[in-house]
Amino acid sequence: MGVADVGEFGLIDRVTTRLTYGSACLLGPGDDAAVVAAGDRRVVASTDVLVEGRHFRRDWSGARDVGHRAAAANLADIAAMGATPTALLVALCIPADLDTAWVEELADGLAAEAALVDAGVVGGDMSASPTLTIAVTALGDLAGRAPVVRSGARAGDVVALAGRTGWAAAGLTVLSRGFRTPRVLVEAYRRPEVPYRAGPEAARLGGTAMIDVSDGLLADLGHLAKASGVGVDLRRDAFDVPPQMRDAAQALGVDPYTWILAGGDDHALVATFPATVVLPDRWRPVGRVIEGGGVTVDGDVYDGPAGWDHFR
């Protein structure tokens, strides 16, 4: 059954009955706007958009997978500010002949990813469009803490990573070459594993700057370095190449460090900390903040790609 057969409001009813809202939601879908608790009296907000053919393909990912990815991309931005996600708002622009089951499964994926952090989809909008587009706005709570911004890194700080990089990029390369294995890499592309709790943890530890790795570690650290007016030097030996990635790279003729250093969509968190901070196991030191500018690897400019650019 196509979405045109059930109509806008019928589709909204089908979607909203599948959602849960999280403990911060005081009033969910059904009125002109939702009401979300903001005990901190400040709200952290971020928006991201996924466009079919640019950010996902339906022949590569199921609707549930796309829902997970769309939610994760936004929830990770909230965590990267040192905040706890509380709610999502989702706007869907969908072709009139799209099967309603696809939209329902998308809602299931959105709800399941949000539930990992006790958040929920509390509202949104729908419209007909020839291009399937998913726009998500995430809200979050700082719980009395100062936000961890990109501009606070200082020379002498330790650069540390929570989560993994390169897995989703490796999965994308596998899919783009027409393969479906190694499955662990393909699944990493379809559903990122985001270290959400590491964001507020970094804030409590005294992290000086932080960013979500969505476009590639080198590219995103470049944004942090520019905002802070510093340089960053990474240690190549801080990054292990997992066996599945090593084997796939050899088979596809790819340098695996291209995936690890420049691949996006894993949504790891990278932060800087004073050298005196004792980091928990979740945070792995991978480099240091130095005087100057830009990002280097073992003291040299990296000669490979830096990361993703939406307009290139």
Side-chain angles (χ1 to χ4, degrees):
M1 182 181 295
V3 296
D5 297 317
V6 299
E8 176 184 359
F9 298 104
L11 186 59
I12 289 173
D13 288 341
R14 284 171 175 255
V15 167
T16 54
T17 57
R18 309 176 81 91
L19 301 177
T20 56
Y21 306 119
S23 60
C25 179
L26 304 179
L27 180 66
D31 283 83
D32 290 329
V35 179
V36 179
D40 183 80
R41 299 181 65 186
R42 296 171 298 173
V43 175
V44 181
S46 180
T47 296
D48 200 23
V49 63
L50 274 71
V51 180
E52 185 177 18
R54 185 65 172 169
H55 302 101
F56 68 92
R57 284 173 44 169
R58 276 184 277 164
D59 59 330
W60 285 357
S61 301
R64 216 177 281 261
D65 297 324
V66 176
H68 276 275
R69 287 189 67 209
N74 289 270
L75 297 169
D77 284 336
I78 300 301
M81 298 298 293
T84 299
T86 56
L88 296 176
L89 300 164
V90 180
L92 297 178
C93 299
I94 48 183
D97 61 352
L98 185 66
D99 196 307
T100 58
W102 196 95
V103 182
E104 292 170 353
E105 289 179 16
L106 173 75
D108 290 342
L110 287 162
E113 189 70 25
L116 295 177
V117 289
D118 188 31
V121 181
V122 300
D125 194 18
M126 292 184 184
S127 176
S129 170
T131 303
L132 177 54
T133 303
I134 307 160
V136 182
T137 296
L139 307 178
D141 185 0
L142 287 164
R145 297 180 295 269
V148 185
V149 296
R150 300 179 182 183
S151 57
R154 297 293 178 262
D157 284 353
V158 173
V159 180
L161 182 73
R164 60 191 190 181
T165 62
W167 290 71
L172 175 59
T173 303
V174 168
L175 288 166
S176 68
R177 300 286 182 91
F179 302 107
R180 293 294 187 271
T181 58
R183 187 172 180 82
V184 66
L185 299 180
V186 172
E187 290 302 318
Y189 166 75
R190 290 172 173 162
R191 297 190 188 187
E193 295 181 4
V194 185
Y196 295 117
R197 289 174 178 79
E201 181 179 56
R204 292 191 294 268
L205 289 169
T208 54
M210 184 160 48
I211 192 168
D212 158 46
V213 184
S214 55
D215 296 328
L217 183 60
L218 293 175
D220 289 316
L221 272 174
H223 301 319
L224 185 151
K226 181 178 180 180
S228 296
V230 296
V232 170
D233 186 51
L234 296 177
R235 294 184 293 105
R236 185 184 175 102
D237 65 6
F239 301 92
D240 295 325
V241 181
Q244 305 96 321
M245 191 183 296
R246 182 185 61 244
D247 294 345
Q250 185 175 4
L252 297 170
V254 176
D255 179 356
Y257 285 96
T258 299
W259 293 331
I260 291 169
L261 296 175
D265 285 336
D266 284 300
H267 299 291
L269 300 180
V270 64
T272 58
F273 298 89
T276 55
V277 172
V278 177
L279 295 174
D281 291 342
R282 194 197 314 265
W283 286 97
R284 174 164 50 100
V286 295
R288 60 193 179 97
V289 180
I290 58 176
E291 300 283 355
V295 183
T296 54
V297 180
D298 292 332
D300 293 323
V301 176
Y302 183 69
D303 59 4
W308 172 261
D309 185 323
H310 289 276
F311 295 99
R312 292 182 181 173

